[in-house]
Amino acid sequence: MNKRSVNISSLVILLSLLSFLFEMCLYYFIPQHLITVAVAAIISLGLAHFFLESSLNYDYCFLHASFMTITSTAFTIIVYLMQPNVWIAYDYSLIALIIVNWFIPFGYCFIRDFCDRGPRFAEYLFFFYGMSILFLIIYAIALVKLLFVTPLLPPYETMDFGAHNFIPFMATGNYIEDALSHHASITKMITYMLEMIVLGIPAGFYIRVFLRNHSITPRIFTYLFLPFLLEFIQFLTGIGRADIDDYTFYLIGILVGIAIYYIVYRISYEVHKRDFLEDRTVVKKLWHFQDNY
């Protein structure tokens, strides 16, 4: 590592540390936490742009994003474990801070690489996979919390005597039908369904990314096995609710994630004649759609 690289790395760490401390101070002193999230987004975007333009290398954007994501995640966990606390309260804006500190640099660099017509900036694929692994670690923590620590539960009661529902959408459909017949709100049910679907979207996208060079058989097996594994663990531990509807909602989310992958892939091919996960010097024909899902 040459002297210039050391200087840039030190600058990245220093500015990221100052940014993190500033965000935490805003969160502590300003009750309107959405202001903190908005300021964090602006700072994250500005720093990502500065680091990329000054170094011509995505490595430093990854260093910045990973520092901010890890520190904000650690801060969120500490605040959550401290509750109840009269000095600092936990709310979902802390989750938004984690998302902002990861997504803004990732989205910015993705767009820059997508729009760049030549190999001006180096190490994008390292950045992409590094950010993906970082996200998957945070995603795994979120799954543990939402499925096993404070489980997401539907608004209707569980079946009597420990029985389990094996017919897709039977319990969900009965709840919605009963609520509509009594002119009751189904907002909680819709929210629950969307939450379970959203949980599955990253899994679908990243399974497709990391198994892109494998045949269709291991990919389909992984798509089907992951939600089954989560439900089976809930069944064994008695934590949460092992149910066919949860499996189905999560699987729908996986399908949405796969669709997002293909949309990005198609746009990349139409614009650059290349796979968005290949070096920009590589140009090839678009894979046949039926052989690439």
Side-chain angles (χ1 to χ4, degrees):
M1 180 178 292
N2 57 40
K3 183 177 180 180
R4 181 176 182 274
S5 298
V6 172
N7 290 337
I8 295 178
S9 298
S10 300
L11 179 63
V12 171
I13 294 175
L14 176 61
L15 292 180
S16 298
L17 177 60
L18 292 175
S19 175
F20 169 72
L21 293 175
F22 183 64
E23 289 178 14
M24 297 308 100
C25 288
L26 286 179
Y27 182 85
Y28 181 79
F29 289 108
I30 299 179
Q32 294 78 15
H33 293 156
L34 288 180
I35 296 177
T36 304
V37 175
V39 172
I42 295 172
I43 293 174
S44 184
L45 180 62
L47 288 178
H49 176 76
F50 172 73
F51 294 141
L52 183 60
E53 290 293 335
S54 60
S55 67
L56 302 181
N57 195 307
Y58 288 100
D59 285 355
Y60 300 104
C61 290
F62 172 70
L63 179 60
H64 158 65
S66 59
F67 181 93
M68 294 299 298
T69 304
I70 292 171
T71 51
S72 57
T73 301
F75 180 79
T76 299
I77 293 173
I78 291 172
V79 172
Y80 179 80
L81 295 176
M82 288 170 55
Q83 299 307 300
N85 189 284
V86 297
W87 297 105
I88 187 168
Y90 170 87
D91 64 32
Y92 285 103
S93 60
L94 284 174
I95 304 299
L97 276 178
I98 298 174
I99 295 173
V100 162
N101 286 326
W102 179 86
F103 179 76
I104 295 296
F106 179 80
Y108 172 78
C109 292
F110 181 87
I111 293 172
R112 287 299 299 266
D113 178 75
F114 193 85
C115 297
D116 187 19
R117 295 295 179 176
R120 179 186 175 194
F121 304 108
E123 302 297 337
Y124 173 74
L125 291 183
F126 170 82
F127 170 84
F128 180 89
Y129 284 110
M131 291 292 286
S132 297
I133 293 172
L134 179 63
F135 173 82
L136 290 175
I137 294 173
I138 306 299
Y139 176 67
I141 296 174
L143 280 181
V144 171
K145 180 184 182 299
L146 294 175
L147 297 181
F148 304 104
V149 178
T150 55
L152 288 172
L153 296 174
Y156 52 81
E157 298 293 332
T158 57
M159 300 177 68
D160 295 332
F161 308 111
H164 291 273
N165 175 31
F166 296 101
I167 302 176
F169 301 125
M170 183 182 73
T172 300
N174 288 338
Y175 175 85
I176 294 176
E177 182 180 4
D178 185 65
L180 293 176
S181 64
H182 291 85
H183 304 287
S185 174
I186 59 172
T187 302
K188 291 183 178 180
M189 188 68 236
I190 294 176
T191 301
Y192 174 76
M193 293 165 59
L194 291 176
E195 287 173 339
M196 291 302 300
I197 291 173
V198 169
L199 274 181
I201 293 176
F205 181 83
Y206 279 112
I207 289 172
R208 188 62 189 86
V209 165
F210 284 99
L211 297 183
R212 57 192 290 271
N213 294 322
H214 291 72
S215 65
I216 185 175
T217 302
R219 292 203 299 267
I220 291 181
F221 173 80
T222 308
Y223 297 147
L224 298 176
F225 179 73
L226 178 60
F228 170 80
L229 177 63
L230 295 174
E231 296 302 312
F232 185 67
I233 294 174
Q234 286 187 319
F235 174 77
L236 290 180
T237 61
I239 301 174
R241 187 187 72 113
D243 189 87
I244 188 65
D245 285 4
D246 293 351
Y247 177 92
T248 307
F249 291 139
Y250 194 90
L251 191 59
I252 292 173
I254 287 177
L255 294 176
V256 174
I258 298 170
I260 292 173
Y261 171 89
Y262 282 110
I263 290 172
V264 176
Y265 175 83
R266 184 77 191 195
I267 293 174
S268 178
Y269 175 78
E270 294 295 336
V271 175
H272 299 297
K273 305 301 180 186
R274 67 179 177 90
D275 185 344
F276 72 99
L277 292 178
E278 288 185 338
D279 186 88
R280 59 176 53 258
T281 60
V282 176
V283 179
K284 69 172 186 177
K285 293 182 179 180
L286 179 65
W287 305 336
H288 197 277
F289 184 80
Q290 68 181 8
D291 295 329
N292 192 38
Y293 57 85

